[in-house]
Amino acid sequence: MALVLGLVIGAFLSSVLRSIDVFDPPRRGKAAHDVPHAEQVLFAADRGFPSVRTVLRSRADVTQFAGRFFDEDTADDITETLSVRDFTAEALIAFAWGAGCAPGDGAKLTTTGNTDYSVRLTGADNPPEECAAPWEILAVFALPKAEVPPETRLGGMRPDPPGPATRAHFAAVPDQPARGMEVSQPDQLAAFLAGFEPVAADRVRSAVRSRATADRAFAFVLLGCHNDGAYLVLSPERMEPVLTATEPVVCVKPDHYVAVFTVPAESVPAGATIG
């Protein structure tokens, strides 16, 4: 009986430790050293942060990144602090991870070389043995753009997208009224596609059906002018698509586009207006 109990407890502890590891900023086996000229531009310790590691290269990236944080004050602080950075000269590296009972007092960007970066918490040498809830850490660093090329890795892995929403499909379509709605369910998708040409409708269906099981799908018809893409901004109040363009152009007659985004179910703000 004692042996069985010990095995059960051991399995439980192993499961807990594995769940904690998910939130640790991943590190390579190779020894890492601090990046002394990396500027820490934002640090926060709180509860309820998501786990993410990403690179922010524009104000649009900052807006999407803020959408990962449901707490309005945190999202506003991220937007206000990071949007003023000079993205013509620098890129931002952002980490959010779980730190157990140690909130720390800051963080340092580290590297193992070859533009592979990670992070370490400072001021957490003697954490309390117990706490009411684990702490999550948010740390953002600025580096010169040249030191954050497209092949940059974070903990040996590709960076996450800036925001939780992934663009699954974007294309120009013949005239359609502007609209937006969730299309996760077959009846929702059918309602959205009413009036679409067959080929365009099939492409939207394929994008929706190809999503991960735990993701929800949202589709929009957008009016723009010579646009080349779109991203989805999340906030507690709204899920808003934003068109992008290489250069601003004035149109006599607007272009029409369809955009489909997938979002992990846990990242969809409850009650938010779509569109």
Side-chain angles (χ1 to χ4, degrees):
M1 180 65 180
L3 177 60
V4 172
L5 181 60
L7 290 173
V8 171
I9 292 174
F12 171 75
L13 291 175
S14 175
S15 174
V16 170
L17 289 174
R18 283 197 301 271
S19 68
I20 292 173
D21 286 343
V22 170
F23 296 96
D24 287 339
R27 294 181 174 84
R28 304 289 292 274
K30 186 178 176 182
H33 60 272
D34 291 351
V35 183
H37 59 283
E39 179 187 357
Q40 180 184 286
V41 297
L42 184 62
F43 177 84
D46 207 331
R47 271 91 179 195
F49 289 167
S51 176
V52 61
R53 54 182 179 272
T54 191
V55 176
L56 310 177
R57 302 182 185 276
S58 66
R59 289 176 178 81
D61 286 353
V62 170
T63 301
Q64 294 175 75
F65 181 65
R68 289 183 175 273
F69 297 80
F70 284 163
D71 179 77
E72 191 170 351
D73 290 339
T74 300
D76 288 346
D77 193 27
I78 289 170
T79 302
E80 292 172 7
T81 303
L82 304 186
S83 291
V84 299
R85 305 299 302 189
D86 181 7
F87 289 101
T88 63
E90 64 186 17
L92 305 180
I93 297 178
F95 292 93
W97 76 99
C101 289
D105 60 9
K108 294 287 187 181
L109 187 69
T110 67
T111 183
T112 57
N114 298 320
T115 62
D116 187 354
Y117 299 102
S118 192
V119 64
R120 69 178 181 87
L121 190 63
T122 62
D125 297 331
N126 298 298
E129 294 183 2
E130 297 181 1
C131 54
W135 290 91
E136 277 87 37
I137 308 300
L138 169 63
V140 183
F141 305 89
L143 279 180
K145 283 181 66 174
E147 297 181 30
V148 194
E151 63 270 20
T152 292
R153 294 293 183 267
L154 302 181
M157 303 176 69
R158 289 181 179 273
D160 296 321
T166 299
R167 192 184 76 193
H169 179 66
F170 180 83
V173 292
D175 290 2
Q176 286 279 334
R179 60 189 184 275
M181 61 183 292
E182 182 167 5
V183 292
S184 303
Q185 302 301 321
D187 58 332
Q188 296 171 327
L189 181 58
F192 178 80
L193 291 175
F196 268 67
E197 293 182 344
V199 173
D202 284 345
R203 290 172 179 166
V204 172
R205 288 191 194 96
S206 178
V208 172
R209 290 169 180 166
S210 299
R211 74 187 190 279
T213 304
D215 287 357
R216 292 164 64 179
F218 300 85
F220 303 85
V221 173
L222 307 170
L223 274 58
C225 187
H226 294 222
N227 297 99
D228 54 16
Y231 60 89
L232 187 63
V233 177
L234 303 184
S235 72
E237 296 81 22
R238 191 174 180 190
M239 304 178 66
E240 181 181 11
V242 178
L243 286 165
T244 61
T246 303
E247 294 182 4
V249 179
V250 176
C251 290
V252 175
K253 183 176 183 293
D255 300 320
H256 294 70
Y257 302 94
V258 60
V260 179
F261 302 92
T262 61
V263 185
E266 68 273 13
S267 297
V268 177
T273 299
I274 300 173

